[in-house]
Amino acid sequence: MQAALLRAARQVSGLSIQSIYEAYPDCVIDVKAEQAALAEAEVLVLQHPFYWYSCPSLLKEWIDSVFEFGWAYAGGTALKGKYWMQAISAGGPAEAYRREGYNHFTIEELLRPFEQTAYLCGMIPLKPFLIQGARAQTEGSLLERAGEYALLLERLKEGRFPERHSSL
Amino acid sequence: MNTHGLLGRVVVYLSAAVVAVPVSAFLGLGSVIGYLAAGMAIGPHGLGLISSVEDVMHFAEFGVVLLLFLIGLELNPRKLWQLRGPILGTGGLQVALTTAILAVALRGTGLSWNMAWLASMGFSLSSTAIALQLLRERNLMPTPAGQTSFSVLLFQDLAVIPMLAVVPFLGSAEASAGGDAPWISALKSVGAILAVVVVGRFLVRPVFRVIARTRLREMFTAFSLFLVVAIAALMQAVGLSMALGAFLAGVLLADSEYRHELEVDIEPFKGLLLGLFFISVGMSVNFDVLLARPLEIAGAVGAAVLLKAAVLLGVGRWTGLKGRECVVFGLALSQVGEFAFVLFGLGGQLGVFDAGTQAFLVLTVALSMLTTPFLFMADQKWIAPRFNRKGPTGIVPGSAASEPVQTKDGAVIIAGYGRFGQVVGRILHSRGVPTVFLDHDPNQIDLLRKFGQPAYYGDVRRLDLLHSAGAERARLLVLSVDDMETVFETARLVREHFPKLPMVARARGRVDAYRLVNLGIPVVRETFHSGLRAAELVLKELGLGAYEARRLVARFGAHDESRMRAAAALADDEKALISLAHEGRMELEKLMKGDEEQGRAATDDGWG
Ligand SMILES: Cc1cc2nc3c(=O)[nH]c(=O)nc-3n(C[C@H](O)[C@H](O)[C@H](O)COP(=O)(O)O)c2cc1C
């Protein structure tokens, strides 16, 4: 699913795309380069599979090292006013992510640490883009969702933002 | 035995030294007493195996010259400038006070003023050879006491020059020493010093470079010796102190990349010649004079040493040496030095002294030298314990208030600055870890020096080079030379002589690595890791993601390392090795199945 999403994103011109598992296989992030790319951007989309109700470890490492003290927070305002969005693929289907379901919590609830990360940096969180139920996806449905994803990115580029996300 | 031929005499000196020095060292008396005793035994007043003391002494004075050259090598101009206060202040005060007090005292015993002045000038000087040897043997050089002693000795070495110049004016005979007018000899002196500076600064290094490139060790040694001898000869020709010239040359070369190699080459010559010098001092002890006037001699020696020590203690206090430091300083310089022989000899020639007085004074000087090692022993036994608490000597070595002569503590020594050592060095440098490079290729050393890195030319298998690179105090040794025999030999040497110094070694291949692993040395196979990187690139070209390729290769690397370690333990057992290899292959196959097959990505299921 991630591959399909990435392919879709690549179709959209004028985006700055970084595949961190390709760029940093030894887990040492080039902090300055990443910060420079962020400074240029208006929207940050974190596209990742759902791993243990969170993001994969290298993406966590990316946040840990790029969102520097004094740059992103604690007096730093480099990310202030920018938009934050996550595009997530998950194994579990949508109905598993509710109180009575298999996973007890909604995805939004589980994403709260990310939401607060955005707040701390003065960023504006947007509603996440989700593909859920990996097993149930067919080639066709996947293509359809990927198309929606491309459209969403297209709109973001033009400044037409989807609704804000807040679980406050 | 014909002891007049050169070989015969050499046999006598060497055998006396080889017998007496180890005995003396064994008894805890240090080497100096051993040499002195050997000299007394073989000298004209002892067994009479050697008759002409003067010739030998003259030759052996060269040991002092070499000693000062080596001291100079450890002091670059900047450090020397930092020491100017102690040298001029403390040294000047000590010489002036001792001379003045002694002169008045000697005049009181009935000597003429001229005799009194010359004698007291000679007595104000201490023995660089004895004092430094004793301080070094006890590892006291880096302490404030050692540093102050050194400064004062340096001043004394300088002070001899004007002293020698005034002897003719004290003599009753016409001043017949030099033919030149004073301004001409002054001009000559300045010219000679300038020549040494120019040669030392600009000429010596290119020549060394050329010689180093020929890789003929003995040429290097020959040129080192030539350099010191030539400078000494030049200095003597213009009437300056040979020792001073050598010291100057040493200072000028202290910053050069050949410093360690020079040290290593000159050291044995210095050791032997200095030994010879002490032997000649022993030989000059005239037992006839001693037996004729035993009480007077003993009184003179006692008074001289006591008075010198008293002045030194006062001066030491004045410069801020405390307690035990001050005692060590006072004792170290309490003897009368070798330059007194020179001064008194000249005084005799020019008629300041009659032969009897001269013999008396020379004997006093020689015996005063004998007292110092015993005073140090007495100090260890009775004085040091009163200042205890700070270790056996009462001084914490290296706790010097002034900068120690050399600070290489905590450095990483990188033996072999090729493509391999370079990487290690650059990373350490960027971390601010002090590094010392050793290499036997002068081109590499040149390159490093251009970038302002401390780098020295030499063969790392030489114990003395390791010593002078500071192996005792280093934090780590990286064995990055490309020749495996050198790696093994150096590793063994270091294990034996610096057991506390950890090492990291480069190995050519697997079998070399076994040997190092079995020595307990962390080892890096030089081509193994570049092979891994290449495999990673290939896997990526074949379509694997960067992260997965990296993980696969890393897993392989870790597996191979642990197999290698296991195999090292069995390196001699062929059968066990084969079964180990078989086992390893199966394990590896399992290990190298990609993430896919390991089931990591097949986890779409199970989340609801
Ligand atoms: C280590 C790991 C942890 C996972 N954790 C979760 C999880 O917490 N919740 C979930 O719904 N799916 C989880 N999954 C399933 C992945 O989210 C799913 O396989 C992925 O989004 C599919 O994307 P892909 O087709 O690009 O591999 C996990 C998968 C892996 C490998």
Side-chain angles (χ1 to χ4, degrees), chain A residues 1-3 49-53 89-92 97 134, chain B residues 600-601 603-604 607:
Chain A
M1 297 198 289
Q2 286 296 318
F50 216 30
Y51 276 8
W52 287 107
Y53 310 106
S89 68
Y97 285 95
Chain B
R600 164 147 179 170
T603 41
D604 283 357
W607 307 101

Side-chain angles (χ1 to χ4, degrees), chain B residues 171-199:
Chain B
S172 53
E174 282 303 298
S176 56
D180 290 335
W183 67 272
I184 293 189
S185 63
L187 214 64
K188 274 187 177 173
S189 307
V190 172
I193 290 179
L194 273 180
V196 172
V197 170
V198 170
V199 168

Side-chain angles (χ1 to χ4, degrees), chain B residues 260-545:
Chain B
H260 285 317
E261 195 68 7
L262 276 167
E263 259 172 34
V264 165
D265 279 345
I266 298 284
E267 183 75 37
F269 293 101
K270 179 220 81 178
L272 280 177
L273 282 180
L274 216 52
L276 193 58
F277 174 77
F278 293 130
I279 290 181
S280 62
V281 170
M283 292 197 300
S284 68
V285 173
N286 187 335
F287 293 106
D288 297 339
V289 177
L290 183 60
L291 290 179
R293 306 156 74 181
L295 288 180
E296 281 169 75
I297 297 271
V301 171
V305 171
L306 213 67
L307 187 113
K308 288 197 70 162
V311 171
L312 284 162
L313 284 176
V315 171
R317 248 302 121 70
W318 174 76
T319 48
L321 288 180
K322 296 206 180 57
R324 170 119 180 83
E325 297 276 356
C326 203
V327 176
V328 169
F329 170 66
L331 292 184
L333 301 187
S334 64
Q335 76 299 105
V336 184
E338 49 273 9
F339 285 118
F341 294 125
V342 183
L343 275 175
F344 297 165
L346 191 62
Q349 277 169 36
L350 297 178
V352 186
F353 299 128
D354 55 89
T357 314
Q358 195 191 335
F360 183 91
L361 289 176
V362 167
L363 186 62
T364 309
V365 173
L367 290 178
S368 82
M369 289 182 173
L370 263 173
T371 61
T372 316
F374 290 107
L375 286 176
F376 260 75
M377 272 179 59
D379 162 78
Q380 290 274 312
K381 252 213 156 92
W382 293 298
I383 305 181
R386 294 161 160 245
F387 295 93
N388 58 6
R389 272 181 295 261
K390 282 199 232 151
T393 53
I395 294 179
V396 187
S399 69
S402 53
E403 197 195 357
V405 175
Q406 255 176 333
T407 34
K408 275 182 245 136
D409 296 39
V412 172
I413 303 175
I414 301 187
Y417 185 75
R419 292 162 304 162
F420 194 95
Q422 251 171 49
V423 179
V424 181
R426 277 167 54 198
I427 289 177
L428 292 179
H429 186 68
S430 66
R431 288 277 303 159
V433 179
T435 46
V436 181
F437 289 103
L438 308 175
D439 202 295
H440 66 119
D441 179 353
N443 297 314
Q444 296 286 14
I445 296 300
D446 254 17
L447 192 73
L448 272 170
R449 293 237 141 200
K450 284 203 186 98
F451 288 103
Q453 291 271 10
Y456 300 98
Y457 165 80
D459 184 342
V460 298
R461 278 171 298 184
R462 295 188 58 168
L463 186 59
D464 27 18
L465 182 70
L466 288 170
H467 263 300
S468 48
E472 299 91 340
R473 288 153 295 150
R475 204 154 3 141
L476 199 108
L477 173 70
V478 181
L479 287 168
S480 47
V481 290
D482 53 4
D483 173 53
M484 283 319 293
E485 280 317 308
T486 306
V487 170
F488 294 135
E489 238 174 274
T490 316
R492 260 195 304 273
L493 205 64
V494 168
R495 267 293 146 79
E496 188 178 329
H497 295 275
F498 313 100
K500 288 205 201 87
L501 179 64
M503 287 176 274
V504 168
R506 162 187 184 174
R508 265 258 140 107
R510 212 181 174 80
V511 180
D512 299 322
Y514 289 164
R515 285 174 70 181
L516 290 161
V517 166
N518 287 335
L519 285 171
I521 298 170
V523 52
V524 178
R525 284 174 280 162
E526 57 174 16
T527 48
F528 181 62
H529 296 272
S530 31
L532 290 182
R533 281 291 91 79
E536 186 185 330
L537 280 182
V538 170
L539 289 173
K540 264 164 66 178
E541 287 298 315
L542 291 178
L544 249 61

Side-chain angles (χ1 to χ4, degrees), chain B residues 525-595:
Chain B
R525 284 174 280 162
E526 57 174 16
T527 48
F528 181 62
H529 296 272
S530 31
L532 290 182
R533 281 291 91 79
E536 186 185 330
L537 280 182
V538 170
L539 289 173
K540 264 164 66 178
E541 287 298 315
L542 291 178
L544 249 61
Y547 185 66
E548 197 182 354
R550 168 65 54 98
R551 278 159 44 94
L552 271 176
V553 162
R555 233 182 277 150
F556 174 86
H559 165 83
D560 197 72
E561 277 293 297
S562 78
R563 287 282 126 186
M564 196 265 288
R565 252 151 251 285
L570 306 170
D572 309 315
D573 185 346
E574 204 174 324
K575 249 204 199 136
L577 272 180
I578 291 172
S579 88
L580 190 74
H582 181 66
E583 213 177 282
R585 253 194 311 278
M586 308 223 300
E587 201 182 290
L588 188 63
E589 257 168 52
K590 246 192 280 165
L591 202 62
M592 297 305 285
K593 294 219 165 77
D595 283 349

